[in-house]
């Protein structure tokens, strides 16, 4: 059994200081006579371990060294080199450019609460807390029991304002009630923010807060060295600076400009933010535990120290495939200082790339396809990650985990549906941060699972799960935890489904921000010399848009397809929505048309037979779904006429299908035979913007003309 870490010795002066003020004089030298372990052990054995002196203990205290007791030490003359370099790379405040809309709240004209800024004198007076003793021989506890490695910044004395601590603090002020009322009634002030690197940013400000300065106490120092190794740099990249600038204000964020070129930077940014949140929360618990220990020893009341939720998990990361989870958890491992985990080999085996080499995927597939489906693409998984000492442990029970990494399907298998006997969603009751990455890929799965997960976040649990109600934050007990939860949505592009989550489920009291790029337009990447005709359909309202589109297809498009079946039969009909796909397929079957349907559920032989028949001119047309193209990227040959029943969500698909008309036709195909027709409505604004570009989108949506041609 290894010996315990040697305790520091305290002088009689230090003992008096500790007894009087509960902490040591930061400028005193430690003495040589007394043992801190013996002092605290005697105090606890004399006064008990209840919340108040003489109060009954809620749990049996074991006679061991008391980890988690924090004392102050003198401020360092200079920070560690890695941390100082990291501080220099932290983001600066974005600039608000235009006020787009005003909230309707009666309190709109009141001045927002001012932010506390850190000056040089305040920074010099920061107290840094650290641990003194180790646990007894052979004891194994996680950091949640009080352990914390490295230095932690503190707000004691008001020297530094940390946005995280301010965000989670119990606050019963009138301003907080106004902010809760504003987010509940969706009363925001919209402000356009200058973000040259990220694109178009619109801030939805609550109670007139506006754009705040960067968090002066952003990243805990213990993450500096792990981040330096993970990022291959002592500073954050420009993209990471901007993203963390928004993340660290605990705003709800939608970032709709993800790409595989930026993937590593983005995942590192939100993994760092999640780990930073967990470590700061544990530091808070450790400091409060030290205060309770001191109060027990002195027989005084420590007051209400609320720093926990109903259950342990604080962060939920939702991803589409295991290959994505492997990358994210690997970053969490490295940020946790890369200690050994006995479950690591199992994790690499079940989530890693072994046996799923990229060479298996045809080299003729596009790069984004190869990167999306390289590795393990199982979409039914969930894994718990627990921070333990200087490492992270995986495969921990969900209720004993700090971070949960899962797919929507993996969570749905646990949360179940209404009426299921064994459904369980209590582990989602205390989630303080939700990160949903690759929303564009999740849309190609089953988005209803995502909305189901959001519908079961921060609900009051059915069981207590051994929680200490005296430590549960007040806003959990009041049922307003959803307004303290930060939601981060990351996607390649914006869709109505993502916008719906942004509108209905992003309700942080700090406000929210939506970021998307300025699109040049997918039409600029079309190489084939094909006339592209965009037809705007007249629709009465959003609820009837699908019916109006189908009516136009029946009256105008389908008769032309029937004529083509007797002439040029090389027609591809592309449908974005699977519901529209089923509707059109059933209609064509009823009309006994000569066609084939290729969906994501079609077998390889069915798809191959349909493609061969189209190329040979044996079919009138092929009905092709967007999900089929996402999962397979079939190189359909012999397309002479391309009809978009609805435009694709992914702008790259539009370019690929049009360029197929150039690369997959034989030399005898006349260029005059090639044509493209795209149907759209005024509610397809997001799709149109990505296809024709941000500058031309408004013209196609609002012009008196209803038909536009790009050649």
């Amino acid at each position: 059994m290894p010996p315990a870490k040697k305790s520091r010795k305290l002088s009689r002066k230090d003992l008096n200081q500790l007894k009087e003020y509960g902490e040591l004089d930061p400028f005193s030298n430690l003495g040589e006579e007394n043992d801190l372990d013996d002092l605290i052990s005697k105090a606890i054995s004399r006064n008990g371990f209840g919340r108040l002196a003489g109060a009954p203990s809620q749990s049996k205290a074991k006679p061991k060294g008391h980890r988690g007791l924090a004392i102050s030490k003198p401020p360092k003359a200079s920070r560690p080199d890695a941390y100082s370099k990291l501080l220099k790379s932290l983001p600066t405040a974005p600039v608000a450019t235009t006020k787009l809309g005003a909230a309707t709240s009666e309190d709109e004209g009141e001045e927002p609460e001012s932010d506390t800024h850190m000056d040089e004198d305040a920074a010099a007076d920061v107290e840094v807390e650290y641990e003194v003793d180790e646990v007894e021989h052979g004891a194994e506890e996680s950091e949640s029991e009080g352990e914390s490695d490295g230095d932690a910044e503190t707000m004691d004395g008001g020297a530094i304002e940390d946005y995280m601590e301010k965000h989670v603090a119990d606050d019963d002020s009138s301003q907080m009630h106004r902010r809760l009322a504003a987010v509940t009634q969706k009363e925001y002030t919209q402000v356009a923010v200058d973000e040259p690197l990220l694109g178009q940013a619109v801030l939805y400000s609550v109670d007139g807060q506006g754009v705040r300065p960067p968090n002066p106490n952003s990243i805990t120092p213990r993450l500096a060295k792990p981040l330096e190794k993970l990022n291959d740099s002592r500073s954050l990249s420009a993209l990471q600076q901007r993203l963390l600038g928004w993340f660290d204000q605990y705003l709800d964020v939608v970032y709709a400009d993800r790409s595989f070129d930026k993937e590593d930077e983005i995942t590192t940014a939100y993994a760092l933010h999640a780990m930073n949140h967990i470590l700061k929360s544990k530091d808070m618990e450790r400091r409060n535990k030290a205060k309770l220990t001191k109060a027990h020893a002195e027989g005084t009341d420590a007051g209400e120290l609320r720093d926990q939720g109903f259950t342990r998990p604080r962060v939920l990361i939702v991803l589409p495939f295991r290959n994505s989870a492997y990358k994210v958890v690997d970053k969490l491992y490295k940020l946790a200082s890369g200690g050994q985990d006995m479950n690591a080999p199992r994790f690499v085996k079940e989530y890693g790339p072994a046996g799923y080499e990229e060479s298996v995927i045809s080299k003729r597939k596009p790069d984004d396809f190869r990167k999306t489906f390289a590795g393990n693409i199982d979409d039914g998984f969930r894994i718990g990650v627990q921070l333990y000492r200087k490492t992270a442990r995986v495969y921990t029970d969900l209720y004993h985990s700090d971070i949960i990494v899962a797919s929507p399907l993996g969570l749905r298998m646990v949360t179940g549906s209404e009426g299921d006997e064994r459904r369980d969603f209590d582990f989602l009751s205390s989630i303080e941060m939700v990160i949903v990455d690759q929303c564009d890929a999740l849309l190609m799965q089953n988005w209803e699972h995502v909305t189901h997960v959001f519908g079961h976040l921060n609900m009051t649990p059915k069981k207590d799960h051994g929680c200490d109600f005296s430590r549960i934050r007040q806003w959990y007990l009041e049922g307003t935890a959803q307004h303290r939860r930060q939601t981060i949505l990351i996607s390649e592009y914006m869709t109505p489904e993502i916008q719906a989550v942004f509108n209905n489920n992003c309700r942080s009291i700090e406000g929210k921000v939506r970021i998307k790029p300025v699109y040049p337009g997918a039409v600029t990447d079309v190489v084939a010399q094909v006339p592209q005709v965009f037809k705007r359909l007249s629709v009465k309202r959003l609820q009837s848009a699908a019916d109006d589109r189908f009516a136009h297809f029946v009256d105008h498009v389908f008769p032309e397809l029937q004529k083509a079946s007797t002439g040029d039969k090389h027609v591809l009909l592309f449908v974005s929505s699977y519901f529209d796909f089923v509707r059109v397929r059933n209609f064509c079957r009823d009309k006994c048309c000569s066609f084939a349907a290729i969906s994501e559920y079609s077998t390889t032989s069915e798809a191959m037979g349909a493609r061969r028949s189209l190329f040979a001119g044996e079919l009138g047309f092929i009905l092709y779904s967007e999900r089929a193209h996402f999962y397979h990227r079939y190189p359909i040959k012999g397309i002479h006429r391309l009809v978009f029943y609805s435009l694709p969500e992914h702008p790259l698909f539009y370019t690929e299908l049009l360029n197929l008309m150039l690369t997959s036709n034989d030399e005898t195909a006349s260029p005059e035979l090639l044509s493209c027709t795209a149907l759209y409505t005024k509610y397809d604004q997001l799709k149109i913007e990505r296809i024709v570009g941000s500058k031309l989108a408004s013209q196609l949506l609002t012009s008196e003309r209803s038909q536009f041609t790009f050649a």
Side-chain angles (χ1 to χ4, degrees), residues 175-441:
Q175 185 190 38
M176 178 58 65
H177 288 291
R178 289 197 305 270
R179 292 165 69 181
L180 285 172
V183 297
T184 302
Q185 300 172 17
K186 300 182 180 180
E187 297 176 348
Y188 298 98
T189 300
Q190 296 185 31
V191 181
V193 182
D194 185 18
E195 277 285 8
L197 181 63
L198 299 182
Q200 298 174 334
V202 178
L203 174 65
Y204 292 72
S205 177
V206 178
D207 198 25
Q209 289 186 105
V211 179
R212 295 188 294 176
N215 190 350
N217 193 23
S218 179
I219 299 175
T220 183
R222 79 188 69 174
L223 289 174
K225 289 185 178 180
L227 178 62
E228 179 180 341
K229 296 179 181 179
L230 177 62
N231 225 23
D232 295 327
S233 172
R234 292 183 176 179
S235 61
L236 299 169
S237 68
L239 176 63
Q240 290 170 338
Q241 291 180 40
R242 300 312 316 147
L243 289 177
L244 283 170
W246 291 113
F247 293 168
D248 205 41
Q249 295 188 36
Y250 283 83
L251 297 157
D252 291 327
V253 179
V254 170
Y255 178 65
D257 192 22
R258 188 190 194 277
S259 67
F260 285 102
D261 294 336
K262 305 174 184 176
E263 179 183 33
D264 187 66
E265 293 178 88
I266 294 173
T267 53
T268 298
Y270 70 68
L272 174 66
H273 180 55
M275 183 68 76
N276 192 51
H277 179 79
I278 295 295
L279 293 180
K280 285 186 176 182
S281 299
K282 290 182 178 296
D283 286 343
M284 193 182 305
E285 291 183 5
R286 177 174 56 84
R287 292 197 300 267
N288 289 341
K289 185 175 181 180
K291 293 177 182 178
L292 289 173
T293 302
K294 178 181 71 69
H296 298 154
E298 297 179 350
T300 59
D301 186 359
E304 287 193 349
L305 300 175
R306 299 183 178 272
D307 50 23
Q308 300 175 9
F310 293 109
T311 55
R312 178 168 177 169
R314 282 191 167 99
V315 176
L316 173 65
I317 302 177
V318 181
L319 300 166
F321 305 115
R322 287 191 181 227
N323 58 9
S324 304
Y326 177 77
K327 297 174 184 177
V328 172
V329 175
D330 182 62
K331 291 182 183 295
L332 296 176
Y333 264 129
K334 294 176 180 178
L335 288 172
S337 299
Q340 295 296 322
D341 177 18
M342 62 170 48
N343 291 326
R346 175 188 170 190
F347 172 72
V348 173
K349 179 181 179 182
E350 296 184 1
Y351 286 78
Y356 300 92
E357 287 77 9
E358 189 176 355
S359 59
V360 177
I361 303 176
S362 173
K363 294 182 179 180
R364 293 180 296 178
K365 300 291 186 181
D367 290 340
D368 69 300
F369 180 89
R370 293 170 60 84
K371 292 177 180 178
T372 299
F373 297 103
N376 192 337
I377 57 171
D378 176 39
D379 63 351
F381 66 91
R382 57 189 175 276
I383 185 169
V385 181
Q386 180 191 86
L387 298 188
Y388 181 82
R389 297 188 178 180
K390 292 187 178 181
T391 188
R393 291 205 286 193
V394 295
Y395 292 106
T396 53
D397 182 84
L398 296 182
Y399 285 97
H400 297 158
S401 303
D402 297 298
I403 303 174
I404 297 174
V405 181
S407 66
L409 178 60
L411 292 172
R412 186 63 181 267
M413 294 170 65
V414 178
T415 59
S417 302
E418 194 68 31
D420 293 348
E421 295 182 359
R422 301 185 61 179
R423 62 187 313 218
D424 181 17
F425 46 83
D426 285 357
F427 61 91
L428 300 175
S429 62
S430 301
I431 296 295
E432 297 173 358
M433 182 185 300
V434 179
I435 302 171
V436 185
D437 194 6
Q438 294 179 263
C439 292
D440 49 293

Side-chain angles (χ1 to χ4, degrees), residues 246-247 251-255 486-489 502 512-513 515:
W246 291 113
F247 293 168
L251 297 157
D252 291 327
V253 179
V254 170
Y255 178 65
Q486 182 184 27
T487 302
I488 299 174
L489 304 173
F502 182 73
K512 53 188 177 181
V513 63
I515 306 169

Side-chain angles (χ1 to χ4, degrees), residues 470-600:
S470 67
R471 299 285 295 274
I472 296 179
R473 292 190 171 103
Q474 195 65 35
W475 38 269
Y476 277 114
L477 302 176
E478 294 173 351
T480 59
Q482 61 176 324
H483 301 302
R484 303 298 184 105
R485 182 189 73 231
Q486 182 184 27
T487 302
I488 299 174
L489 304 173
I490 301 173
S491 176
E492 287 195 26
Y493 45 80
M494 198 73 180
T495 69
E497 292 84 357
I498 299 174
Q499 184 66 44
V501 173
F502 182 73
N503 292 339
N504 301 323
N505 301 106
C506 295
R507 301 180 179 179
S508 171
I509 57 173
E510 308 299 341
K512 53 188 177 181
V513 63
R514 182 185 63 208
I515 306 169
K516 64 184 183 71
V518 177
Y519 294 99
V523 293
T524 60
D525 297 325
V526 176
V527 179
Q529 297 297 320
V530 180
Q532 307 162 50
V533 180
F534 289 80
K535 292 184 178 180
R536 188 177 71 233
L537 307 182
S538 177
V539 296
K540 299 178 181 178
R541 59 185 187 278
L542 177 61
Q543 290 77 5
S544 64
D547 294 333
D548 294 338
R549 188 189 301 268
F550 181 72
H552 179 87
F553 170 79
V554 172
D555 296 337
H556 299 89
V557 179
F558 182 72
E560 295 181 7
L561 293 177
Q562 285 184 314
K563 293 178 181 179
S565 63
T566 60
D568 188 2
K569 300 180 180 181
H570 301 267
V571 180
L572 181 69
L573 179 61
F574 180 92
V575 183
S576 176
S577 168
Y578 184 73
F579 298 104
D580 289 338
F581 176 88
V582 173
R583 189 176 192 179
V584 173
R585 182 194 62 188
N586 293 342
F587 173 81
C588 293
R589 284 178 177 175
D590 293 341
K591 297 298 181 179
C592 300
C593 295
S594 173
F595 82 103
I598 301 179
S599 70
E600 65 271 31

